[in-house]
Amino acid sequence: MTGAKLKVAVLYDVWEDEAAVAEAAEEKAASKKKKKKKKPQSKSRREKEDREEIFEALEKLGHEPFYQVLDGTQPSLTALAKCGSDLVFNLTESFAGDDTKEMNVAAYMDLLGIRYTGGGPHAHFLAQDKATAKKMFAFHGIKTPFFATSYRGRIEHAHDVSFPLIVKPLWEDGSIGIDAESVVSSVKELMERVEYIQNEFDSPALIEEYIEGREMYVGVLGSYEKAQALPLVELDLSRLPEGTPKIASYDVKFEKDTQAHKLTKSYLVDDLDEKTTSRVQEVGLAAYQAVKLRDYGRIDMRLTPKGEVYVIEANPNPWLSSKQEFAMAAKASGRSYTDLIGEIVELAMARYATNAENAS
């Protein structure tokens, strides 16, 4: 169905409060009335959500997009089942605010035979459970920091780790639970941080060796069998104040008013030799395949001063804002934002066509 006009449901989740649900419903209704009218210029420009940019890109590609919202209720699941789309562009990150249920949304669509973009349930599970993902990386010979996991006094896994260590929630993503106190250098600090993670997030603590080095992101487009690594992007942490751990903490990534956010910037890597660049991309591709990502994904890595490449984690369905790292890398590869969205749609549709052929 490549090149065909598709009805595409842009699926995203809301859960904060009833106002958010109402706003989403209004947005959906407004989208149905939307024509080719020129939007009036407002005095203060609101930054577009990724779903809005994707919606506009799908329109430019000749598709018929519409918004579909999961608000954490059974009726919203029923509405998804009955939405009648040719493809769902899956932007969900949780269900009812529980991001461990992200995999269940994909599984629900699988059960109903709904076609959707991005990672399947296995990919979301492996990305969510960082310890299991790290075991997968190790099995495939991919370097990842040594680690241990702990929950309520029970050690579930343990390498012989050495300080400094970084302590994170095992089941969270998006840098949730990661801040300047996450890097610890003593047993006392470690115990305090593990207790904090368990009490604050009711999650096992992932305790892994802190790898000093450059924060690299490898965006990947493609299927499990055939994928392409995009140009490297680095999150430059070098300007963080002295004594502040050089990590992609929550405030660095998302708290726009903080000093940490203002002092960090992502940019295309242009100072590595071709051999090193290729090696980082190859490791990214191997990690992408190891945890069964598909269509598109991002691998977060560390490149040490000695040139060692460590995979930190994998991200199915990474943030697709035109201003974020994945779109930045796609643009450097010669793809416009509209091209990028179109390619993700084509990859998903081609995957379902191949599955149908293999089943017949």
Side-chain angles (χ1 to χ4, degrees):
M1 295 186 68
T2 299
K5 185 175 183 177
L6 304 172
K7 289 178 64 179
V8 183
V10 180
L11 180 69
Y12 65 99
D13 58 294
V14 295
W15 57 273
E16 291 87 348
D17 50 40
E18 291 182 359
V21 178
E23 180 183 354
E26 290 171 4
E27 184 177 40
K28 180 181 176 183
S31 71
K32 291 180 178 178
K33 298 176 183 178
K34 183 179 177 183
K35 304 297 181 184
K36 297 294 182 179
K37 295 178 182 178
K38 187 176 181 181
K39 289 185 177 180
Q41 295 292 325
S42 60
K43 292 182 180 179
S44 58
R45 288 181 177 272
R46 178 180 65 84
E47 190 171 310
K48 289 180 181 178
E49 299 281 354
D50 58 346
R51 62 177 178 264
E52 295 174 293
E53 294 185 299
I54 292 165
F55 190 105
E56 291 177 3
L58 290 167
E59 284 189 318
K60 290 177 183 177
L61 291 162
H63 299 307
E64 293 182 6
F66 60 94
Y67 291 114
Q68 193 71 35
V69 184
L70 282 182
D71 62 10
T73 65
Q74 184 174 333
S76 68
L77 287 172
T78 303
L80 171 59
K82 296 179 178 180
C83 74
S85 67
D86 297 311
L87 180 72
V88 169
F89 206 111
N90 184 21
L91 301 177
T92 55
E93 296 179 328
S94 71
F95 185 75
D98 184 349
D99 54 11
T100 66
K101 299 287 196 308
E102 185 178 8
M103 71 181 101
N104 298 56
V105 176
Y108 176 75
M109 290 191 284
D110 278 347
L111 283 173
L112 297 175
I114 296 173
R115 292 176 289 204
Y116 60 94
T117 60
H122 291 88
H124 286 291
F125 166 75
L126 289 170
Q128 196 84 51
D129 189 331
K130 297 179 179 67
T132 303
K134 288 164 74 64
K135 291 172 186 176
M136 293 287 287
F137 296 145
F139 177 82
H140 288 279
I142 301 165
K143 274 184 179 289
T144 189
F146 283 167
F147 73 101
T149 56
S150 174
Y151 187 60
R152 306 299 179 194
R154 178 181 175 184
I155 302 299
E156 298 175 347
H157 173 90
H159 280 120
D160 187 10
V161 296
S162 57
F163 290 104
L165 301 166
I166 181 168
V167 186
K168 316 171 184 176
L170 181 64
W171 295 330
E172 298 288 348
D173 55 14
S175 292
I176 292 173
I178 301 177
D179 57 37
E181 306 300 318
S182 296
V183 177
V184 298
S185 300
S186 68
V187 172
K188 179 178 181 294
E189 290 178 352
L190 171 61
M191 293 175 69
E192 290 174 346
R193 193 65 188 182
V194 168
E195 183 179 18
Y196 166 78
I197 293 298
Q198 292 175 158
N199 292 341
E200 187 72 16
F201 301 98
D202 191 25
S203 167
L206 175 68
I207 304 159
E208 66 179 1
E209 290 187 334
Y210 172 70
I211 304 298
E212 189 69 53
R214 297 169 65 175
E215 183 91 359
M216 297 280 184
Y217 300 140
V218 179
V220 181
L221 280 167
S223 63
Y224 177 83
E225 297 80 10
K226 185 178 180 182
Q228 174 190 359
L230 299 175
L232 303 181
V233 174
E234 177 176 2
L235 177 61
D236 182 11
L237 303 166
S238 63
R239 294 180 62 209
L240 288 173
E242 188 174 349
T244 302
K246 304 298 189 288
I247 57 175
S249 58
Y250 188 84
D251 54 352
V252 163
K253 284 191 172 182
F254 302 113
E255 297 291 346
K256 294 184 178 181
D257 293 332
T258 63
Q259 183 186 32
H261 183 85
K262 293 173 182 177
L263 290 175
T264 53
K265 184 180 179 182
S266 296
Y267 65 91
L268 291 163
V269 177
D270 60 3
D271 62 343
L272 294 178
D273 60 73
E274 187 175 340
K275 183 177 179 181
T276 303
T277 298
S278 295
R279 185 156 50 87
V280 174
Q281 289 175 317
E282 287 168 6
V283 173
L285 283 170
Y288 181 91
Q289 293 169 330
V291 293
K292 304 182 185 302
L293 270 58
R294 64 189 192 194
D295 299 346
Y296 68 112
R298 193 190 74 221
I299 308 299
D300 298 359
M301 320 171 85
R302 281 277 165 131
L303 177 63
T304 73
K306 293 181 180 180
E308 297 173 301
V309 182
Y310 286 84
V311 171
I312 304 301
E313 62 181 48
N315 297 276
N317 303 8
W319 196 5
L320 284 177
S321 165
S322 63
K323 295 179 173 61
Q324 295 302 312
E325 290 91 357
F326 197 91
M328 182 189 304
K331 184 177 180 180
S333 71
R335 297 168 171 88
S336 68
Y337 186 78
T338 300
D339 292 337
L340 170 62
I341 301 306
E343 188 166 348
I344 291 170
V345 168
E346 289 179 5
L347 284 164
M349 294 302 290
R351 170 164 48 80
Y352 284 108
T354 299
N355 291 346
E357 289 174 5
N358 292 338
S360 62

